[in-house]
Amino acid sequence: MASTIRPRAWMKDGVTNVKALISHPMETGLRKDKASGQIIPAHFIQDLIVTHNGEQVLHGYLGPAVSKNPFLNFKFKGANKGDALTISWNDNKGKSDSLEVKIN
Amino acid sequence: MHNPNRRTLLKGTLTAGIAVVAAGAGLLKPHTVLAAWPKAAFEAKGMDNATNALLGGSSATASKDIKIKTPSIAENGAVVNVAVSSTLPGVESISILVEQNGSPLAATFDLNPRTEAYIKTRVKVAKTSGIVAMVRSGGKIFSARREVKVTLGGCGG
């Protein structure tokens, strides 16, 4: 299966710029299914973690108010071109995904 | 059959178990070092409750050194770009709150010392609302606010 994570990481002037787009419904638990009238259960990413060389450079705690298919952009120092970054998430239903990306 | 990975697997599970217990007992406060998802802060209703749950009683000081970038008018409240940056030294975390959402806390990001004080993401905004960024720097909390007009609500509408 294709990864839910679509990352980009590139280096400029010693700073690594990371962008990631994740496929996830980010259901709030407040919406109703229009056909059945049933409430759609909450289903959202809770933790979004980016590690470089085994060190956590970002830990995002997300709530259901983050938009569907979350987008994230951040920057960090101290990496080299060609280094690997790991981006991973887990949601409130215990699902998770992880992907390694090389810094360009 | 002998499995050479068995030892490491057991060790890993044990350490993870200890971390969970420590976090559960609140030994690793404040939440910047806490590995557990801050449930109370995310579920808190209203701006006052959310701020209290997030900051644990301490208050935020308004700061000009925090910049919030959003569209001033959002046509679709379901997807509102928010970028927060700060020139404050040693930023440890950045949180984004939407005042008029039922549960205002949208996201909070813990930063490594190597990570720049900059976060861009997209949030849902139920109706025209102030967007508040809270930045933890040197153990203190600083905040900034910016108004976003929403023409179409972000909660299913």
Side-chain angles (χ1 to χ4, degrees):
Chain A
M1 205 182 83
S3 174
T4 58
I5 305 168
R6 285 199 300 168
R8 263 177 74 198
W10 71 98
M11 188 97 165
K12 200 188 167 188
D13 303 328
V15 177
T16 307
N17 208 321
V18 183
K19 279 188 182 177
L21 191 59
I22 301 167
S23 303
H24 199 282
M26 297 302 281
E27 280 296 345
T28 56
L30 303 170
R31 259 168 23 105
K32 275 186 183 162
D33 184 314
K34 282 194 177 107
S36 67
Q38 297 287 311
I39 285 176
I40 304 168
H43 185 200
F44 56 93
I45 293 177
Q46 291 188 312
D47 295 283
L48 180 59
I49 296 168
V50 183
T51 54
H52 168 249
N53 279 345
E55 192 184 6
Q56 200 172 286
V57 287
L58 187 83
H59 187 161
Y61 301 90
L62 311 192
V66 172
S67 300
K68 178 179 173 176
N69 299 333
F71 167 82
L72 175 75
N73 176 208
F74 76 100
K75 299 167 184 174
F76 73 97
K77 290 189 182 111
N80 295 307
K81 259 188 186 177
D83 281 3
L85 277 184
T86 307
I87 302 175
S88 56
W89 61 260
N90 61 271
D91 69 21
N92 66 323
K93 290 188 173 179
K95 288 185 184 150
S96 63
D97 199 3
S98 174
L99 189 71
E100 202 175 272
V101 56
K102 285 243 179 322
I103 299 171
N104 288 315
Chain B
M1 208 173 72
H2 179 69
N3 180 351
N5 289 329
R6 191 171 167 267
R7 274 307 120 194
T8 38
L9 185 73
L10 269 173
K11 241 194 237 164
T13 325
L14 255 177
T15 334
I18 289 163
V20 167
V21 169
L27 295 173
L28 295 175
K29 276 178 183 172
H31 92 265
T32 43
V33 266
L34 194 89
W37 190 70
K39 191 170 191 283
F42 276 109
E43 289 180 353
K45 305 280 178 211
M47 202 56 192
D48 289 349
N49 293 334
T51 310
N52 279 339
L54 182 67
L55 309 183
S58 51
S59 58
T61 317
S63 169
K64 288 196 177 85
D65 298 326
I66 303 170
K67 294 264 177 299
I68 309 176
K69 210 174 151 192
T70 67
S72 47
I73 298 175
E75 279 183 26
N76 180 2
V79 186
V80 178
N81 276 303
V82 179
V84 178
S85 61
S86 173
T87 51
L88 289 164
V91 171
E92 296 149 26
S93 76
I94 296 176
S95 303
I96 300 168
L97 297 96
V98 183
E99 285 177 352
Q100 298 296 324
N101 279 2
S103 303
L105 181 60
T108 178
F109 298 89
D110 284 352
L111 311 182
N112 181 287
R114 291 203 273 139
T115 312
E116 296 200 346
Y118 165 82
I119 281 287
K120 185 175 177 190
T121 186
R122 294 173 187 157
V123 299
K124 296 169 194 162
V125 181
K127 55 184 173 195
T128 296
S129 171
I131 307 280
V132 173
M134 291 198 179
V135 171
R136 188 186 292 265
S137 156
K140 291 202 181 85
I141 316 287
F142 300 91
S143 72
R145 184 180 181 278
R146 182 180 156 86
E147 187 95 359
V148 175
K149 274 207 169 71
V150 174
T151 44
L152 180 67
C155 292

Coordinates of all heavy atoms in Angstrom, one line a residue, chain A residues 3-89:
Chain A
S3 N 2.2 4.8 1.0 CA 2.3 5.4 2.3 C 1.3 6.5 2.4 O 0.9 7.2 1.4 CB 3.7 6.0 2.6 OG 3.7 6.7 3.8
T4 N 0.8 6.8 3.6 CA -0.1 7.9 3.9 C 0.6 9.2 4.0 O 0.0 10.3 4.0 CB -0.9 7.7 5.2 OG1 0.1 7.6 6.3 CG2 -1.7 6.4 5.2
I5 N 2.0 9.1 4.1 CA 2.8 10.3 4.3 C 3.5 10.7 3.0 O 4.1 9.8 2.3 CB 3.9 10.0 5.4 CG1 3.2 9.5 6.6 CG2 4.7 11.2 5.6 CD1 4.1 8.9 7.7
R6 N 3.3 11.9 2.6 CA 4.0 12.4 1.4 C 5.0 13.5 1.9 O 4.5 14.7 2.2 CB 3.0 13.0 0.4 CG 2.3 11.8 -0.4 CD 1.7 12.3 -1.6 NE 0.7 13.4 -1.4 CZ 0.2 14.1 -2.3 NH1 0.6 14.0 -3.6 NH2 -0.7 15.0 -2.0
P7 N 6.2 13.2 2.1 CA 7.2 14.2 2.7 C 8.1 14.8 1.6 O 8.2 14.3 0.5 CB 8.0 13.3 3.5 CG 8.0 12.0 2.8 CD 6.8 11.9 1.9
R8 N 8.6 16.0 2.0 CA 9.7 16.6 1.3 C 10.6 17.2 2.3 O 10.2 17.8 3.2 CB 9.2 17.8 0.4 CG 8.9 17.4 -1.0 CD 8.3 18.5 -1.8 NE 9.3 19.6 -2.1 CZ 9.0 20.8 -2.4 NH1 7.7 21.2 -2.4 NH2 9.9 21.7 -2.7
A9 N 11.9 17.0 2.1 CA 12.9 17.6 3.0 C 14.1 18.0 2.2 O 14.6 17.3 1.4 CB 13.3 16.5 4.0
W10 N 14.4 19.3 2.3 CA 15.6 19.8 1.6 C 16.3 20.8 2.5 O 15.8 21.4 3.4 CB 15.1 20.4 0.3 CG 14.4 21.7 0.4 CD1 14.9 23.0 0.3 CD2 13.0 21.9 0.7 NE1 13.9 23.9 0.5 CE2 12.8 23.3 0.7 CE3 11.9 21.0 1.0 CZ2 11.5 23.8 1.0 CZ3 10.7 21.6 1.2 CH2 10.5 22.9 1.3
M11 N 17.6 20.9 2.0 CA 18.6 21.7 2.8 C 18.8 23.0 2.1 O 19.0 23.0 0.9 CB 19.8 20.9 2.8 CG 20.8 21.4 3.7 SD 20.7 20.5 5.2 CE 22.2 21.0 5.8
K12 N 18.9 24.1 2.9 CA 19.2 25.4 2.3 C 19.9 26.2 3.4 O 19.4 26.4 4.5 CB 18.0 26.1 1.8 CG 18.3 27.2 0.8 CD 17.1 28.0 0.4 CE 17.5 29.3 -0.3 NZ 16.5 30.2 -0.5
D13 N 21.1 26.6 3.1 CA 21.9 27.5 4.1 C 22.0 26.8 5.5 O 21.8 27.5 6.5 CB 21.3 28.9 4.2 CG 21.3 29.6 2.9 OD1 22.1 29.3 2.0 OD2 20.3 30.4 2.6
G14 N 22.2 25.5 5.5 CA 22.4 24.8 6.8 C 21.1 24.5 7.5 O 21.1 24.0 8.6
V15 N 20.0 24.9 6.9 CA 18.7 24.7 7.6 C 17.9 23.6 6.8 O 17.8 23.8 5.5 CB 17.9 26.0 7.7 CG1 16.5 25.7 8.3 CG2 18.6 27.0 8.5
T16 N 17.4 22.6 7.4 CA 16.6 21.6 6.7 C 15.1 22.0 6.8 O 14.6 22.3 7.9 CB 16.7 20.2 7.4 OG1 18.1 20.0 7.4 CG2 16.0 19.2 6.6
N17 N 14.5 22.1 5.7 CA 13.1 22.5 5.6 C 12.3 21.2 5.4 O 12.6 20.5 4.4 CB 12.9 23.5 4.4 CG 11.8 24.4 4.6 OD1 10.7 24.0 5.1 ND2 11.9 25.6 4.2
V18 N 11.3 20.9 6.2 CA 10.5 19.7 6.1 C 9.1 20.0 5.8 O 8.5 20.9 6.5 CB 10.6 18.8 7.3 CG1 9.9 17.5 7.2 CG2 12.1 18.6 7.7
K19 N 8.5 19.4 4.8 CA 7.1 19.6 4.5 C 6.5 18.2 4.4 O 7.1 17.3 3.9 CB 6.8 20.3 3.2 CG 6.9 21.8 3.3 CD 6.5 22.5 2.0 CE 6.7 24.0 2.2 NZ 6.3 24.7 1.0
A20 N 5.3 18.0 5.0 CA 4.7 16.7 4.9 C 3.2 16.9 4.8 O 2.6 17.8 5.4 CB 5.0 15.9 6.2
L21 N 2.6 16.0 4.0 CA 1.2 16.0 3.8 C 0.7 14.6 4.1 O 1.3 13.6 3.6 CB 0.8 16.4 2.4 CG -0.6 16.7 2.0 CD1 -1.2 17.8 2.9 CD2 -0.8 17.0 0.5
I22 N -0.2 14.4 5.0 CA -0.6 13.1 5.4 C -2.1 12.8 5.1 O -2.9 13.7 5.3 CB -0.4 12.9 7.0 CG1 1.0 13.2 7.3 CG2 -0.9 11.6 7.5 CD1 1.3 13.4 8.8
S23 N -2.3 11.7 4.5 CA -3.7 11.3 4.2 C -4.4 10.8 5.5 O -4.0 9.7 6.0 CB -3.8 10.2 3.1 OG -3.2 10.7 2.0
H24 N -5.4 11.5 6.0 CA -6.1 11.1 7.2 C -7.4 11.8 7.3 O -7.5 13.0 7.0 CB -5.2 11.3 8.4 CG -5.7 10.5 9.6 ND1 -6.8 10.8 10.4 CD2 -5.2 9.4 10.1 CE1 -6.9 9.9 11.3 NE2 -6.0 9.0 11.2
P25 N -8.5 11.1 7.6 CA -9.8 11.8 7.7 C -9.9 12.9 8.7 O -10.7 13.9 8.5 CB -10.8 10.7 7.9 CG -10.0 9.6 8.5 CD -8.6 9.7 7.9
M26 N -9.2 12.8 9.8 CA -9.3 13.8 10.9 C -10.8 14.1 11.3 O -11.2 15.3 11.3 CB -8.6 15.1 10.5 CG -7.1 14.9 10.3 SD -6.1 14.3 11.7 CE -5.9 15.7 12.8
E27 N -11.5 13.1 11.6 CA -12.9 13.2 12.0 C -13.0 13.8 13.4 O -12.4 13.3 14.3 CB -13.7 11.9 11.9 CG -14.1 11.5 10.5 CD -15.1 12.4 9.9 OE1 -15.7 13.2 10.6 OE2 -15.3 12.3 8.7
T28 N -13.9 14.8 13.6 CA -14.0 15.4 14.9 C -14.8 14.6 15.9 O -14.7 14.8 17.1 CB -14.6 16.8 14.8 OG1 -15.9 16.6 14.2 CG2 -13.8 17.7 13.9
G29 N -15.7 13.7 15.4 CA -16.6 13.1 16.2 C -17.9 13.9 16.5 O -18.8 13.5 17.2
L30 N -18.0 15.0 15.8 CA -19.2 15.9 15.9 C -20.0 15.9 14.6 O -21.2 16.3 14.6 CB -18.7 17.4 16.1 CG -17.8 17.6 17.4 CD1 -17.2 19.0 17.4 CD2 -18.6 17.3 18.7
R31 N -19.5 15.4 13.5 CA -20.2 15.3 12.3 C -21.2 14.2 12.2 O -20.9 13.1 12.7 CB -19.2 15.2 11.1 CG -18.9 16.5 10.5 CD -17.7 16.5 9.5 NE -17.3 15.2 9.0 CZ -17.6 14.9 7.7 NH1 -18.2 15.6 6.9 NH2 -17.1 13.7 7.3
K32 N -22.3 14.4 11.5 CA -23.2 13.3 11.3 C -23.2 12.9 9.8 O -23.0 13.7 8.9 CB -24.7 13.8 11.6 CG -25.0 13.7 13.0 CD -26.5 14.1 13.3 CE -26.8 14.1 14.7 NZ -28.0 14.8 15.0
D33 N -23.3 11.6 9.7 CA -23.5 11.0 8.3 C -24.8 11.5 7.8 O -25.9 11.3 8.3 CB -23.4 9.5 8.4 CG -23.4 8.9 7.0 OD1 -24.2 9.3 6.2 OD2 -22.6 8.0 6.8
K34 N -24.8 12.2 6.6 CA -26.0 12.8 6.1 C -27.0 11.8 5.7 O -28.2 12.0 5.9 CB -25.7 13.7 4.9 CG -25.1 15.0 5.4 CD -25.1 16.1 4.3 CE -24.5 17.4 4.9 NZ -23.2 17.8 4.5
A35 N -26.6 10.6 5.2 CA -27.6 9.6 4.8 C -28.2 8.9 6.0 O -29.4 8.7 6.1 CB -26.9 8.6 3.9
S36 N -27.4 8.5 7.0 CA -28.0 7.6 8.1 C -28.3 8.4 9.3 O -29.0 8.0 10.2 CB -26.9 6.6 8.5 OG -25.8 7.2 9.0
G37 N -27.8 9.7 9.4 CA -28.1 10.5 10.6 C -27.2 10.1 11.8 O -27.3 10.6 12.9
Q38 N -26.3 9.1 11.6 CA -25.5 8.6 12.7 C -24.3 9.5 12.8 O -23.8 10.0 11.8 CB -25.0 7.2 12.4 CG -26.0 6.1 12.3 CD -26.6 5.8 13.6 OE1 -25.9 5.5 14.6 NE2 -27.9 5.8 13.7
I39 N -23.8 9.7 14.1 CA -22.6 10.5 14.3 C -21.4 9.7 13.8 O -21.3 8.5 14.1 CB -22.5 10.9 15.8 CG1 -23.5 12.0 16.1 CG2 -21.1 11.3 16.1 CD1 -23.5 12.4 17.5
I40 N -20.5 10.3 13.1 CA -19.3 9.7 12.6 C -18.3 9.7 13.8 O -18.0 10.8 14.3 CB -18.7 10.4 11.4 CG1 -19.8 10.5 10.2 CG2 -17.5 9.7 10.9 CD1 -19.4 11.4 9.1
P41 N -17.8 8.6 14.2 CA -16.9 8.6 15.4 C -15.6 9.4 15.1 O -15.2 9.4 14.0 CB -16.6 7.1 15.6 CG -17.5 6.4 14.8 CD -18.0 7.3 13.7
A42 N -15.1 10.0 16.2 CA -13.9 10.8 16.1 C -12.8 9.8 15.6 O -12.6 8.7 16.0 CB -13.5 11.3 17.5
H43 N -12.0 10.3 14.7 CA -10.8 9.6 14.2 C -9.8 10.6 13.7 O -9.9 11.2 12.7 CB -11.3 8.7 13.0 CG -10.2 7.8 12.5 ND1 -10.2 7.2 11.3 CD2 -9.1 7.4 13.1 CE1 -9.1 6.5 11.1 NE2 -8.4 6.6 12.2
F44 N -8.8 10.8 14.5 CA -7.8 11.8 14.2 C -6.4 11.4 14.7 O -6.2 10.7 15.6 CB -8.2 13.2 14.8 CG -8.4 13.1 16.3 CD1 -7.4 13.4 17.2 CD2 -9.6 12.7 16.8 CE1 -7.6 13.4 18.5 CE2 -9.8 12.7 18.2 CZ -8.8 13.0 19.1
I45 N -5.4 12.0 14.0 CA -4.0 11.8 14.4 C -3.7 12.5 15.7 O -4.2 13.6 15.9 CB -3.1 12.3 13.3 CG1 -3.2 11.4 12.1 CG2 -1.6 12.3 13.8 CD1 -2.4 11.9 10.9
Q46 N -3.1 11.8 16.6 CA -2.8 12.4 17.9 C -1.3 12.8 18.0 O -1.0 13.9 18.6 CB -3.1 11.4 19.1 CG -4.6 11.2 19.2 CD -4.9 10.4 20.5 OE1 -4.3 9.4 20.7 NE2 -5.9 10.9 21.2
D47 N -0.4 12.0 17.5 CA 1.0 12.3 17.6 C 1.6 12.2 16.2 O 1.3 11.4 15.4 CB 1.7 11.2 18.5 CG 1.2 11.2 19.9 OD1 1.7 12.1 20.7 OD2 0.4 10.4 20.3
L48 N 2.4 13.2 16.0 CA 3.2 13.3 14.7 C 4.6 13.6 15.1 O 4.9 14.6 15.7 CB 2.6 14.5 13.9 CG 3.2 14.8 12.6 CD1 3.1 13.5 11.7 CD2 2.5 15.9 11.9
I49 N 5.5 12.6 14.8 CA 6.8 12.7 15.3 C 7.9 12.6 14.2 O 7.7 11.8 13.3 CB 7.1 11.5 16.3 CG1 6.2 11.7 17.6 CG2 8.6 11.5 16.8 CD1 6.1 10.5 18.5
V50 N 8.8 13.6 14.2 CA 9.9 13.6 13.2 C 11.2 13.4 14.0 O 11.5 14.1 14.9 CB 9.9 14.9 12.4 CG1 11.0 14.8 11.4 CG2 8.5 15.2 11.8
T51 N 12.0 12.4 13.6 CA 13.3 12.1 14.2 C 14.4 12.2 13.1 O 14.2 11.8 12.0 CB 13.3 10.7 14.9 OG1 13.0 9.7 14.0 CG2 12.4 10.7 16.1
H52 N 15.5 12.7 13.6 CA 16.7 12.7 12.8 C 17.9 12.2 13.6 O 18.1 12.6 14.7 CB 17.0 14.2 12.4 CG 18.4 14.4 11.8 ND1 19.4 15.1 12.4 CD2 18.9 14.0 10.6 CE1 20.4 15.1 11.7 NE2 20.2 14.4 10.6
N53 N 18.6 11.2 13.1 CA 19.7 10.5 13.8 C 19.2 10.0 15.2 O 19.9 10.2 16.2 CB 20.8 11.5 14.0 CG 21.7 11.6 12.8 OD1 21.6 10.7 11.9 ND2 22.5 12.6 12.7
G54 N 18.0 9.5 15.3 CA 17.5 9.0 16.5 C 17.1 10.1 17.5 O 16.7 9.8 18.6
E55 N 17.2 11.3 17.1 CA 16.8 12.4 18.0 C 15.5 13.0 17.5 O 15.3 13.3 16.3 CB 17.9 13.5 18.0 CG 17.7 14.5 19.1 CD 18.8 15.6 19.1 OE1 19.6 15.6 18.1 OE2 18.8 16.4 20.0
Q56 N 14.6 13.2 18.4 CA 13.3 13.8 18.0 C 13.4 15.3 17.8 O 13.8 16.1 18.7 CB 12.3 13.6 19.2 CG 10.9 13.6 18.9 CD 10.1 13.2 20.1 OE1 10.0 12.0 20.4 NE2 9.5 14.1 20.7
V57 N 13.2 15.7 16.5 CA 13.3 17.2 16.2 C 12.0 17.9 16.3 O 11.9 19.1 16.5 CB 14.0 17.4 14.9 CG1 15.5 17.2 14.9 CG2 13.3 16.7 13.8
L58 N 10.9 17.1 16.3 CA 9.6 17.7 16.4 C 8.6 16.6 16.9 O 8.6 15.5 16.4 CB 9.0 18.2 15.1 CG 7.7 19.0 15.2 CD1 8.0 20.4 15.6 CD2 6.9 19.0 13.9
H59 N 7.8 17.0 17.9 CA 6.7 16.1 18.4 C 5.4 17.0 18.4 O 5.3 17.8 19.2 CB 7.0 15.6 19.8 CG 6.0 14.5 20.2 ND1 6.2 13.6 21.2 CD2 4.7 14.3 19.8 CE1 5.1 12.9 21.4 NE2 4.2 13.2 20.5
G60 N 4.6 16.7 17.4 CA 3.3 17.5 17.3 C 2.2 16.7 18.0 O 2.1 15.5 17.7
Y61 N 1.5 17.3 18.9 CA 0.3 16.7 19.5 C -0.9 17.3 18.7 O -1.1 18.5 18.8 CB 0.2 17.0 21.0 CG 1.4 16.5 21.8 CD1 2.5 17.4 22.0 CD2 1.4 15.3 22.3 CE1 3.6 16.9 22.7 CE2 2.5 14.8 23.1 CZ 3.6 15.7 23.3 OH 4.6 15.3 24.0
L62 N -1.6 16.6 18.0 CA -2.7 17.1 17.2 C -4.1 16.8 17.8 O -4.3 15.7 18.4 CB -2.7 16.6 15.7 CG -1.4 16.6 15.0 CD1 -1.6 16.3 13.5 CD2 -0.7 17.9 15.1
G63 N -5.0 17.7 17.6 CA -6.4 17.5 18.0 C -7.2 17.4 16.8 O -6.8 17.6 15.7
P64 N -8.5 17.1 17.0 CA -9.4 16.9 15.8 C -9.6 18.3 15.1 O -10.2 18.2 14.0 CB -10.7 16.4 16.4 CG -10.6 16.7 17.9 CD -9.2 16.8 18.2
A65 N -9.2 19.4 15.6 CA -9.4 20.7 14.9 C -8.3 20.9 13.8 O -8.3 21.9 13.1 CB -9.4 21.8 15.9
V66 N -7.3 20.0 13.7 CA -6.4 20.1 12.6 C -7.1 19.6 11.3 O -7.9 18.6 11.4 CB -5.1 19.2 12.9 CG1 -4.2 19.2 11.6 CG2 -4.3 19.8 14.0
S67 N -6.9 20.3 10.2 CA -7.7 20.0 9.0 C -7.5 18.6 8.5 O -6.4 18.0 8.8 CB -7.3 21.0 7.9 OG -7.6 22.3 8.3
K68 N -8.5 18.1 7.8 CA -8.4 16.8 7.1 C -7.1 16.8 6.2 O -6.8 17.8 5.7 CB -9.6 16.6 6.2 CG -9.7 15.4 5.4 CD -11.0 15.4 4.7 CE -11.1 14.2 3.7 NZ -12.3 14.1 3.0
N69 N -6.5 15.6 6.2 CA -5.2 15.5 5.4 C -4.2 16.5 5.9 O -3.8 17.5 5.2 CB -5.4 15.6 3.9 CG -6.3 14.5 3.4 OD1 -6.4 13.4 4.0 ND2 -7.0 14.8 2.3
P70 N -3.7 16.3 7.2 CA -2.9 17.4 7.8 C -1.6 17.7 7.0 O -1.0 16.9 6.4 CB -2.5 16.7 9.1 CG -3.5 15.7 9.4 CD -4.0 15.2 8.1
F71 N -1.3 19.0 7.0 CA -0.1 19.5 6.4 C 0.8 20.1 7.5 O 0.3 20.7 8.5 CB -0.5 20.7 5.4 CG 0.6 21.5 5.0 CD1 1.4 21.0 3.9 CD2 1.0 22.7 5.6 CE1 2.5 21.8 3.5 CE2 2.0 23.4 5.2 CZ 2.8 23.0 4.1
L72 N 2.0 19.9 7.3 CA 3.0 20.4 8.3 C 4.2 20.9 7.6 O 4.7 20.3 6.7 CB 3.4 19.2 9.3 CG 4.5 19.5 10.3 CD1 3.9 20.4 11.4 CD2 5.1 18.3 10.8
N73 N 4.7 22.0 8.1 CA 6.0 22.6 7.6 C 6.8 23.1 8.8 O 6.2 23.8 9.7 CB 5.7 23.7 6.6 CG 7.0 24.4 6.1 OD1 6.9 25.6 5.8 ND2 8.1 23.7 6.1
F74 N 8.0 22.6 8.9 CA 8.9 23.2 10.0 C 10.4 23.1 9.5 O 10.7 22.5 8.5 CB 8.7 22.4 11.3 CG 9.3 21.0 11.3 CD1 10.6 20.8 12.0 CD2 8.7 20.0 10.7 CE1 11.2 19.6 12.0 CE2 9.3 18.7 10.7 CZ 10.5 18.5 11.4
K75 N 11.3 23.7 10.3 CA 12.7 23.8 9.9 C 13.6 23.4 11.1 O 13.2 23.7 12.2 CB 13.0 25.2 9.5 CG 12.2 25.7 8.3 CD 12.4 27.2 8.1 CE 11.6 27.7 7.0 NZ 11.6 29.2 6.9
F76 N 14.7 22.8 10.8 CA 15.6 22.5 11.9 C 17.1 22.5 11.4 O 17.3 22.4 10.2 CB 15.3 21.2 12.6 CG 15.6 19.9 11.8 CD1 16.8 19.3 12.0 CD2 14.7 19.5 10.9 CE1 17.1 18.1 11.3 CE2 15.0 18.3 10.1 CZ 16.2 17.7 10.3
K77 N 18.0 22.7 12.3 CA 19.4 22.8 11.9 C 20.2 21.5 12.3 O 19.7 20.7 13.0 CB 20.1 24.0 12.7 CG 19.6 25.3 12.3 CD 20.4 26.4 13.0 CE 19.9 27.8 12.6 NZ 19.3 28.5 13.7
G78 N 21.4 21.4 11.8 CA 22.3 20.4 12.3 C 22.2 19.1 11.5 O 22.7 18.0 12.0
A79 N 21.6 19.1 10.3 CA 21.5 17.9 9.5 C 22.4 18.1 8.3 O 22.9 19.2 8.0 CB 20.1 17.6 9.1
N80 N 22.7 17.0 7.6 CA 23.5 17.0 6.4 C 22.7 16.5 5.2 O 21.8 15.7 5.4 CB 24.8 16.2 6.5 CG 25.7 16.7 7.6 OD1 26.1 17.9 7.6 ND2 26.0 15.9 8.5
K81 N 23.0 17.0 4.0 CA 22.4 16.4 2.8 C 22.6 14.9 2.8 O 23.6 14.4 3.1 CB 23.0 17.0 1.6 CG 22.2 18.1 1.0 CD 22.7 18.6 -0.3 CE 21.9 19.8 -0.7 NZ 22.3 20.5 -1.9
G82 N 21.5 14.2 2.4 CA 21.6 12.7 2.4 C 21.2 12.1 3.7 O 21.0 10.8 3.7
D83 N 21.1 12.8 4.8 CA 20.7 12.2 6.0 C 19.2 11.7 5.9 O 18.5 12.2 5.1 CB 20.7 13.3 7.1 CG 22.1 13.5 7.7 OD1 23.0 12.9 7.2 OD2 22.3 14.3 8.7
A84 N 18.9 10.8 6.7 CA 17.5 10.2 6.7 C 16.7 10.9 7.9 O 17.2 11.1 8.9 CB 17.6 8.7 6.9
L85 N 15.5 11.1 7.5 CA 14.5 11.6 8.5 C 13.4 10.6 8.6 O 13.0 10.0 7.6 CB 13.8 12.9 8.0 CG 14.4 14.3 8.2 CD1 13.4 15.3 7.6 CD2 14.7 14.5 9.6
T86 N 12.9 10.4 9.8 CA 11.7 9.5 9.9 C 10.5 10.3 10.4 O 10.6 11.0 11.4 CB 12.0 8.4 10.9 OG1 13.2 7.7 10.6 CG2 10.9 7.3 10.9
I87 N 9.5 10.2 9.6 CA 8.2 10.9 10.0 C 7.2 9.8 10.4 O 7.0 8.8 9.6 CB 7.7 11.7 8.8 CG1 8.7 12.7 8.4 CG2 6.4 12.4 9.2 CD1 8.3 13.5 7.1
S88 N 6.6 9.9 11.5 CA 5.6 8.9 11.9 C 4.4 9.5 12.6 O 4.6 10.6 13.2 CB 6.3 7.8 12.8 OG 6.9 8.4 13.9
W89 N 3.3 8.8 12.5 CA 2.1 9.3 13.2 C 1.4 8.1 13.8 O 1.5 7.0 13.4 CB 1.2 10.1 12.3 CG 0.6 9.4 11.1 CD1 1.1 9.5 9.8 CD2 -0.5 8.5 11.0 NE1 0.3 8.7 9.0 CE2 -0.6 8.1 9.7 CE3 -1.4 8.0 12.0 CZ2 -1.7 7.2 9.3 CZ3 -2.4 7.2 11.5 CH2 -2.5 6.8 10.2

